[in-house]
Amino acid sequence: MNAPITRFDTEVDCIKNGAPFAKEADSFLNFIQSLPTTPDSFFQRTIIAWELFQRTDEMLCRSDFECVDFSNLLSDITLRAKQFNDSISYFKSQLEFQPHSNKLLDFKVETQNHYGSLFSKFDENHYYIESLELLKTRLERNQVNLGKIGDKIALDAGCGGGRYTYALSALGFKHVTGIDFSELNINTALDRHKRISPKTSFKLGSVHNLPFADNTFDFIFSNGVLHHTESIPLGLKEIHRTLKPHGECFLYLIEKPGGLHWDMTELLRNVMKPLINISHKQFLKCWEPQPTEFFTC
């Protein structure tokens, strides 16, 4: 029986938990929820989301910010958004939207494209040197005995472009296999690993259906992967299945880390939620200039 699909919801913890800026966040969210969910509102939501992200990011870069600053920021953006909404009808004749499909965007393809492009741009330092230093520090902090890994087989579950696959190999594992569902990532990893291919190998596949027998690996590493998938529990089940008895696993997940940045992220999800069914190309199509007829006498 398949595990239930797990997705992020649109709850805003700072409102539910009574944060110092809960009142302002609630007022902002009430306004957002009052907006229509028609294509005409997409432009408004996009501008509001960008404004909230940019101004919060600038605030968090200051060393002297306080919670009241975020309260004031939310109040100001809510006021400006209301003013924008009140005047949008004046400009509505200039906004010509095209009908769009309700077909759900394939988030798997988008994830592959995003991270495939990201990892392929890593320079030599970030790929080979930084990854090894980071991994060594993380494993030592988690009491992984690096002096006893020379005869152990490891899996990098969701390896991306393979930089941590390289780091695991460089630390001394007997053999490391990297698996990722992005063909672009696998090609990047293969190209980067030509120099150490005897100790590493790569497979195209999903962390939800690992193409390995039960009890295959002594050590499984999965860094920031499962929270990008449809089901965290299913990924955990596969890791447990392929890990040997008494084997070790390093698992890094981001679910709800908290903090102002996360509060902003949850608010942004509510702003942009109605746009989930519109693709990037469809959104851009909304802004194609419309043909204009000119008359001369």
Side-chain angles (χ1 to χ4, degrees):
M1 183 175 181
N2 292 334
I5 290 178
T6 303
R7 296 184 185 277
F8 283 119
D9 54 33
T10 49
E11 284 188 356
V12 180
D13 285 345
C14 66
I15 297 176
K16 184 171 60 177
N17 297 337
F21 40 83
K23 179 180 176 182
E24 292 77 13
D26 190 49
S27 178
F28 171 82
L29 190 57
N30 284 335
F31 168 71
I32 292 301
Q33 291 174 340
S34 73
L35 291 174
T37 56
T38 60
D40 297 53
S41 76
F42 293 169
F43 175 70
Q44 293 169 266
R45 289 174 178 272
T46 305
I47 293 298
I48 294 168
W50 176 251
E51 181 79 0
L52 177 58
F53 179 86
Q54 281 290 99
R55 291 181 61 181
T56 303
D57 197 50
E58 290 172 1
M59 182 192 72
L60 293 176
C61 288
R62 301 197 331 254
S63 60
D64 61 343
F65 79 87
E66 299 178 359
C67 284
V68 67
D69 296 324
F70 192 54
S71 299
N72 294 336
L73 187 155
L74 286 171
S75 295
D76 185 60
I77 289 179
T78 302
L79 176 62
R80 292 175 184 273
K82 287 180 178 178
Q83 293 171 339
F84 180 55
N85 186 58
D86 291 340
S87 61
I88 194 69
S89 59
Y90 176 80
F91 298 98
K92 190 173 181 180
S93 61
Q94 305 299 321
L95 303 176
E96 297 293 338
F97 291 92
Q98 301 293 330
H100 70 276
S101 168
N102 288 324
K103 182 179 179 181
L104 183 64
L105 189 64
D106 189 339
F107 77 93
K108 293 182 181 179
V109 173
E110 293 299 309
T111 302
Q112 289 176 5
N113 292 339
H114 172 74
Y115 285 102
S117 174
L118 175 67
F119 296 137
S120 64
K121 296 176 181 177
F122 281 5
D123 61 23
E124 295 283 305
N125 177 67
H126 284 90
Y127 195 94
Y128 297 107
I129 300 174
E130 182 186 66
S131 61
L132 180 57
E133 293 174 350
L134 287 173
L135 183 63
K136 186 174 185 294
T137 299
R138 287 178 176 180
L139 296 187
E140 287 177 343
R141 283 178 178 175
N142 288 274
Q143 291 80 53
V144 175
N145 189 343
L146 299 180
K148 296 184 177 181
I149 61 174
D151 60 347
K152 294 185 177 181
I153 307 298
L155 173 69
D156 187 358
C159 65
R163 70 176 188 148
Y164 284 116
T165 317
Y166 160 76
L168 288 164
S169 175
L171 282 176
F173 280 94
K174 181 179 179 181
H175 191 273
V176 187
T177 301
I179 186 168
D180 199 271
F181 78 149
S182 167
E183 187 172 357
L184 177 56
N185 277 337
I186 295 298
N187 289 337
T188 297
L190 289 171
D191 183 61
R192 297 268 193 162
H193 281 244
K194 287 177 182 177
R195 68 184 72 177
I196 54 170
S197 56
K199 291 186 65 178
T200 60
S201 59
F202 293 93
K203 284 183 176 290
L204 185 67
S206 170
V207 293
H208 285 168
N209 186 24
L210 293 173
F212 308 106
D214 297 355
N215 309 324
T216 297
F217 299 101
D218 301 288
F219 185 85
I220 295 181
F221 178 83
S222 184
N223 182 65
V225 176
L226 297 186
H227 54 261
H228 290 300
T229 69
E230 293 173 288
S231 173
I232 292 175
L234 185 55
L236 292 174
K237 182 179 178 182
E238 279 294 278
I239 287 175
H240 181 265
R241 179 185 66 80
T242 55
L243 189 64
K244 291 180 180 179
H246 308 296
E248 293 182 291
C249 174
F250 179 95
L251 182 67
Y252 177 67
L253 291 172
I254 300 174
E255 188 172 6
K256 289 197 172 184
L260 286 177
H261 191 276
W262 191 255
D263 293 332
M264 173 202 66
T265 299
E266 291 184 326
L267 289 167
L268 286 174
R269 285 199 181 108
N270 282 273
V271 174
M272 302 302 290
K273 184 180 178 182
L275 276 71
I276 191 172
N277 292 332
I278 184 170
S279 71
H280 177 66
K281 289 182 179 179
Q282 290 167 334
F283 183 81
L284 290 180
K285 188 177 180 181
C286 295
W287 304 101
E288 290 178 354
Q290 301 301 305
T292 303
E293 293 183 6
F294 293 91
F295 296 91
T296 57
C297 48

